[in-house]
Amino acid sequence: MNDVLDVILRLLAVLVAFLVLPLAVGQTEHKVMAHMQGRLGPMYAGGFHGWAQLVADGVKFAQKEDIVPADADRKVFQIAPAVALLPYLLVLIVIPVGPHGFVGQAIDAGLFFVLAVLGVGVLGSLMAGWASANKYSLLGGLRTGAQLMAYELPMVLAAASVAMAAGTLSLPGIVQAYQWWWTPWQIVGAFIFFTAGLAELQRPPFDMPVADSEIIFGAYTEYTGLRFAFFLLAEYAGIVVLCALTTVLFLGGWHGPWSDSIGWLWTLLKTAVLAFVVIWLRVTYPRLREDQLQKFAWTVLIPLSLLQIALTGVVKVVIQ
């Protein structure tokens, strides 16, 4: 009975984090972009430092009419936002936040599970693009699929390098096996994994599938109200998941200067810093063209990821 209660409490904690952390990232993005670009609106809603901006956005989405295009495939159109959002909830369940079982559910092949489930999220965009009966939406969905095919391979190879180094596919096992000298050794893999993750989330500068100047808003053009909000929430949840995974795989997870008893704090701090970097990149870099996106993946990231795997194999042989 106690084991069942423990599992329920863990899953409830993951659900609360899933509901809170993406909204916190969204609110932070408003503020960071307001400071970096001199945007006044997000800094004044509600008074002190624009605290009510998130509330205002929520009310705006909730009061908008839910419209389904007449020629759309209604069922597929309606469930696409859920398909885009739910994979990130499943991934959060297996990401370790701290030592001593501080994880929703530990899985021996956790890394394999995470990479497999993350690939499902793109189906939401493909479903939305096809079901909308809109040529701009369809183009956005096809671009999303092409981008996933290009960037999934280097992301998997970079993660495989860490699994080789740790000798396990378990995420808690990878953190436990972490050594301080891994960071400079795996720095190229960390760059590849983080960059490929940004591309899969369609975050700037890899946001060609939703290029407003070309295809309105890509696969999400026909969405309004809460369904559109779910796609935005999926993006912010993806940022949390990407940053947390990068922390666990490449930055030592809960390891920090002091006792591991506050390891959960180190995990959250590292994740928050990486989330800030994601927002910073959006403000700093212009959007890449579609051909530049593909060229960067196939001619830069994939060769680098193969070199990282080769380096990991050499280091493992020398150490052993």
Side-chain angles (χ1 to χ4, degrees):
M1 184 63 183
N2 289 334
D3 292 340
V4 174
L5 181 61
D6 181 61
V7 171
I8 292 175
L9 290 176
R10 288 170 182 266
L11 295 181
L12 285 176
V14 172
L15 181 60
V16 171
F18 181 72
L19 295 175
V20 173
L21 293 179
L23 295 178
V25 172
Q27 180 77 341
T28 302
E29 183 168 59
H30 276 114
K31 305 308 173 187
V32 171
M33 292 180 65
H35 282 295
M36 289 184 171
Q37 297 182 327
R39 298 185 177 188
L40 299 181
M43 305 305 294
Y44 287 93
F48 177 71
H49 208 66
W51 65 269
Q53 182 64 48
L54 190 62
V55 178
D57 288 341
V59 172
K60 177 186 68 175
F61 286 123
Q63 60 87 30
K64 282 188 175 180
E65 183 180 1
D66 181 23
I67 299 174
V68 178
D71 295 330
D73 187 324
R74 179 173 291 270
K75 293 298 182 183
V76 176
F77 184 89
Q78 290 174 335
I79 66 174
V83 175
L85 181 61
L86 289 181
Y88 297 115
L89 173 60
L90 296 178
V91 170
L92 278 179
I93 293 175
V94 301
I95 296 179
V97 180
H100 314 304
F102 202 162
V103 57
Q105 180 61 52
I107 300 178
D108 290 339
L111 182 58
F112 180 80
F113 173 83
V114 162
L115 295 175
V117 173
L118 284 178
V120 175
V122 72
L123 292 179
S125 297
L126 290 173
M127 291 166 63
W130 178 83
S132 294
N134 180 303
K135 61 182 180 181
Y136 296 111
S137 298
L138 181 59
L139 283 172
L142 292 175
R143 285 185 178 184
T144 299
Q147 197 157 301
L148 172 75
M149 292 176 63
Y151 285 89
E152 184 77 5
L153 181 57
M155 188 176 189
V156 170
L157 291 175
S161 173
V162 176
M164 287 175 59
T168 179
L169 288 172
S170 167
L171 294 180
I174 290 174
V175 180
Q176 290 171 357
Y178 177 81
Q179 303 292 331
W180 65 268
W181 48 272
W182 278 21
T183 299
W185 165 30
Q186 295 286 345
I187 191 66
V188 174
F191 167 77
I192 295 168
F193 186 87
F194 191 71
T195 304
L198 286 178
E200 291 199 11
L201 292 175
Q202 304 166 43
R203 288 286 302 183
F206 305 99
D207 60 336
M208 204 60 187
V210 293
D212 56 336
S213 59
E214 292 186 15
I215 51 176
I216 318 302
F217 207 68
Y220 321 125
T221 298
E222 298 290 354
Y223 281 87
T224 59
L226 289 178
R227 287 197 176 90
F228 181 75
F230 285 154
F231 278 117
L232 292 183
L233 183 62
E235 178 180 334
Y236 291 126
I239 293 174
V240 173
V241 167
L242 172 64
C243 296
L245 282 176
T246 305
T247 295
V248 167
L249 295 177
F250 298 99
L251 301 180
W254 62 72
H255 294 303
W258 297 295
S259 171
D260 284 348
S261 61
I262 58 169
W264 59 271
L265 180 60
W266 292 118
T267 301
L268 292 179
L269 285 176
K270 294 174 185 178
T271 301
V273 170
L274 289 176
F276 175 79
V277 172
V278 172
I279 298 170
W280 193 352
L281 291 173
R282 174 177 179 176
V283 178
T284 306
Y285 289 98
R287 178 183 299 130
L288 297 176
R289 294 196 316 265
E290 188 65 25
D291 62 312
Q292 292 173 328
L293 284 174
Q294 296 294 328
K295 184 177 180 180
F296 183 66
W298 293 103
T299 64
V300 178
L301 292 188
I302 291 178
L304 283 178
S305 61
L306 292 173
L307 287 175
Q308 179 68 65
I309 288 238
L311 176 61
T312 300
V314 170
V315 172
K316 288 290 288 184
V317 169
V318 170
I319 292 178
Q320 292 176 351

